[in-house]
Amino acid sequence: MVEPIDLTGMFGEGWCVTLGRGNVVETLSGMEVDPADCRPAPTLAKAAALTWATSGVLLVARQIGKGLTLVLEFDGSTGWVGADPDVLAVLSATGGMACSIYKNPNREELSYAADADLVTGLDPATFRRWGSAPDRFDDTLRAAGFPGPDGDGGSSDILGLPPSQRAVAAMTVLTGITLTPAMFDGPWTAGPSAH
């Protein structure tokens, strides 16, 4: 197993990463960002520094592959937009799949939606699962070294990772998309979510 990217090392104790099928504007619109409020920025730092006269949670997004958008947010004080089951349902209804992971100082969580349904959630610290089909990916996760939902089993590769990196590894297992540092470089589109 390739060691998953360390988003906590990159962004600190509070962040949410969402992957959705569709282009940047479609994905941000599904996260309640008005396309008229979207602004381009050449780097993540410049995107994060943008401000708007209206209030809202800043979302920054970029296309990381054909029909695949990565959205990043840093302010979870009112809840993470990308982790909201209703938002994931909207994103997955149009793109077939949406997955988010977030980290607060005391919690990490993964949510995976398909066809407008929150299929499974995973707590990467306890390995507890929930959703409409919480066991759908159990075999796939076990094959990748994750313990079962009761915490039994698991490889030392997975168990030796901090929970935030376990969440990244689980996102890779469920989506087939490996997050890399290069995905966070380059131009971004930013906008405030009304969510």
Side-chain angles (χ1 to χ4, degrees):
M1 176 185 84
V2 174
E3 185 167 326
I5 188 172
D6 180 8
L7 294 173
T8 301
M10 293 171 68
F11 302 121
E13 292 294 318
W15 47 264
C16 180
V17 171
T18 305
L19 293 176
R21 299 268 179 217
N23 67 40
V24 169
V25 172
E26 291 168 339
T27 302
L28 287 175
S29 293
M31 298 176 86
E32 299 183 24
V33 175
D34 184 338
D37 288 336
C38 290
R39 294 189 208 158
T43 66
L44 182 56
K46 290 189 189 266
L50 292 172
T51 58
W52 281 259
T54 59
S55 62
V57 176
L58 176 67
L59 302 181
V60 294
R62 69 185 305 266
Q63 195 139 357
I64 57 170
K66 185 174 172 76
L68 182 64
T69 297
L70 179 145
V71 181
L72 183 59
E73 55 189 295
F74 301 107
D75 182 5
S77 59
T78 59
W80 299 107
V81 176
D84 183 300
D86 294 334
V87 169
L88 289 170
V90 168
L91 294 177
S92 69
T94 57
M97 174 286 295
C99 187
S100 74
I101 51 176
Y102 76 80
K103 176 168 178 46
N104 286 335
N106 299 309
R107 181 163 180 79
E108 297 84 9
E109 193 171 281
L110 171 140
S111 298
Y112 179 91
D115 302 319
D117 179 40
L118 180 63
V119 176
T120 192
L122 169 72
D123 180 327
T126 66
F127 304 104
R128 182 180 69 83
R129 293 151 168 86
W130 60 91
S132 65
D135 58 350
R136 179 182 288 177
F137 296 103
D138 281 0
D139 291 343
T140 306
L141 287 164
R142 277 195 180 106
F146 282 84
D150 54 5
D152 288 344
S155 74
S156 59
D157 285 346
I158 292 296
L159 296 174
L161 295 172
S164 61
Q165 282 184 282
R166 290 180 196 158
V168 173
M171 177 181 265
T172 299
V173 170
L174 272 54
T175 66
I177 300 157
T178 301
L179 294 180
T180 66
M183 291 178 178
F184 295 87
D185 291 336
W188 292 81
T189 299
S193 173
H195 185 72

